[in-house]
């Protein structure tokens, strides 16, 4: 995964100084990231840097300062490493130095979100890629006024996946023939390529999906990775 370019990585000597200030060793994965780049981000998450005298203005809100401020407002052992600007925080619940946890400022609770920092970074990259896929869908279909999909029969059996958001399904739609054909695998090899006029999609399919409680998967990749979108939101986006 590529991160936004930040500041030069931190030396081992400086990392040891920070650990002395904190009173504990930094998680090994986090140390590795700091050695590569001091100030980095993943999606909406801005990771707290290590204070660097060469870039004092850009590293003033450093990881030591953050964790020494308002510590009483957080659970014991919660080591904060990133914030998203909404009040939520990301970090470790020490002594567990592997699992990434989220502090939900509204619920005032910690929730595990990834087994490792690398896994969290990968999740954020997938979300970013999926959002770009959806944006590309909207831009393309508004221009071509055509939506594509795969169907077992020409009149029924639309390709779908079980939803991760509840006991319902995600129907897959694509902005190009090529995108739909890329998913003719894993049991869908004999599915028909179907073209829908945009008005048929907006006037018929989406209202019916809203009524049935289904989700839209827009421009999912061949690995069936993508966002699960509420058809009501999709309809609003297409109708402007």
């Amino acid at each position: 995964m590529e991160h936004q370019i930040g500041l030069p990585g931190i030396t081992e000597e400086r990392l040891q100084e920070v650990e002395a200030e904190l009173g504990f060793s930094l998680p090994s994965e986090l140390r590795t990231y700091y050695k590569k780049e001091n100030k980095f981000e993943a999606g909406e998450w801005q990771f707290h840097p290590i204070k660097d005298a060469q870039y004092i203005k850009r590293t003033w809100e450093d990881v030591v300062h953050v964790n020494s401020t308002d510590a009483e407002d957080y659970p014991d052992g919660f080591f904060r490493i990133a914030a998203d600007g909404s009040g939520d925080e990301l970090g470790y619940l020490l002594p567990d130095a592997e699992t990434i946890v989220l502090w939900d400022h509204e619920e005032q609770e910690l929730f595990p979100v990834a087994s490792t920092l690398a896994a969290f970074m990968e999740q954020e990259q997938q979300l970013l890629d999926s959002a770009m896929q959806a944006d590309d869908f909207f831009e393309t279909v508004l221009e071509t006024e055509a939506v594509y999909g795969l169907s077992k029969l020409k009149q029924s059996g639309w390709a779908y996946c079980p939803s991760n958001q509840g006991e319902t399904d995600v129907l897959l739609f694509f902005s190009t023939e090529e995108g739909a054909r890329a998913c003719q695998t894993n049991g869908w090899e004999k599915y028909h390529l179907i073209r829908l006029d945009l008005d048929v999609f907006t006037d018929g399919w989406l209202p019916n999906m809203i009524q049935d409680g289904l989700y839209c998967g827009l421009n999912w990749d061949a690995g069936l990775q993508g966002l699960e979108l509420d058809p009501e939101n999709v309809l609003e986006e297409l109708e402007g």
Side-chain angles (χ1 to χ4, degrees):
M1 171 182 176
E2 294 184 1
H3 309 296
Q4 179 179 348
I5 295 175
L7 300 176
I10 298 299
T11 65
E12 175 63 27
E13 180 181 8
R14 179 67 182 121
L15 286 173
Q16 291 181 13
E17 291 174 354
V18 169
E19 289 173 332
E21 292 181 68
L22 290 169
F24 56 83
S25 297
L26 290 167
S28 59
E29 268 194 308
L30 186 60
R31 283 179 122 263
T32 299
Y33 276 98
Y34 278 136
K35 284 186 174 182
K36 292 178 180 178
E37 186 177 359
N38 187 17
K39 195 169 186 178
F40 55 94
E41 65 179 23
E44 299 295 321
W45 294 98
Q46 302 284 333
F47 282 75
H48 305 309
I50 286 176
K51 187 169 290 183
D52 187 333
Q54 296 183 69
Y55 306 96
I56 194 66
K57 290 184 178 180
R58 296 180 64 186
T59 61
W60 186 256
E61 290 292 324
D62 67 289
V63 69
V64 175
H65 174 74
V66 166
N67 281 278
S68 62
T69 304
D70 302 324
E72 66 279 3
D73 294 337
Y74 299 90
D76 290 341
F78 180 47
F79 175 50
R80 291 169 276 164
I81 63 172
D84 68 353
S86 73
D88 291 346
E89 299 271 354
L90 198 71
Y92 298 90
L93 186 59
L94 301 176
D96 183 346
E98 292 190 2
T99 306
I100 301 299
V101 296
L102 168 71
W103 170 253
D104 187 312
H105 75 286
E106 293 183 347
E107 297 291 335
Q108 293 286 291
E109 288 187 49
L110 287 172
F111 300 95
V113 292
S115 58
T116 64
L117 182 56
F120 176 79
M121 294 295 196
E122 183 63 28
Q123 289 174 13
E124 289 299 302
Q125 185 63 53
Q126 288 178 357
L127 285 174
L128 179 61
D129 292 344
S130 296
M132 293 176 64
Q133 291 167 7
D135 288 344
D136 182 64
F137 175 90
F138 292 126
E139 181 179 351
T140 302
V141 301
L142 286 171
E143 180 180 342
T144 64
E145 298 187 350
V147 176
Y148 297 89
L150 301 173
S151 185
K152 187 173 184 179
L153 304 174
K154 291 189 176 181
Q155 300 298 324
S156 63
W158 203 264
Y160 72 92
C161 292
S163 172
N164 291 319
Q165 301 188 48
E167 295 182 1
T168 186
D169 296 316
V170 184
L171 272 59
L172 305 188
F173 301 96
F174 305 89
S175 59
T176 65
E177 292 185 25
E178 293 77 14
R181 291 190 187 281
C183 288
Q184 284 181 309
T185 58
N186 299 320
W188 293 345
E189 293 88 346
K190 296 183 179 180
Y191 274 45
H192 300 278
L193 176 69
I194 304 295
R195 180 190 184 280
L196 303 174
D197 289 338
L198 181 57
D199 59 351
V200 172
F201 183 60
T202 56
D203 296 345
W205 280 77
L206 291 175
N208 288 337
M209 290 177 65
I210 294 170
Q211 184 176 352
D212 294 340
L214 299 169
Y215 286 102
C216 295
L218 306 182
N219 279 2
W220 281 21
D221 61 26
L224 301 182
Q225 296 287 337
L227 296 179
E228 298 183 16
L229 300 177
D230 188 320
E232 189 168 357
N233 294 335
V234 174
L235 186 58
E236 290 176 358
E237 187 73 27
L238 291 173
E239 292 186 336

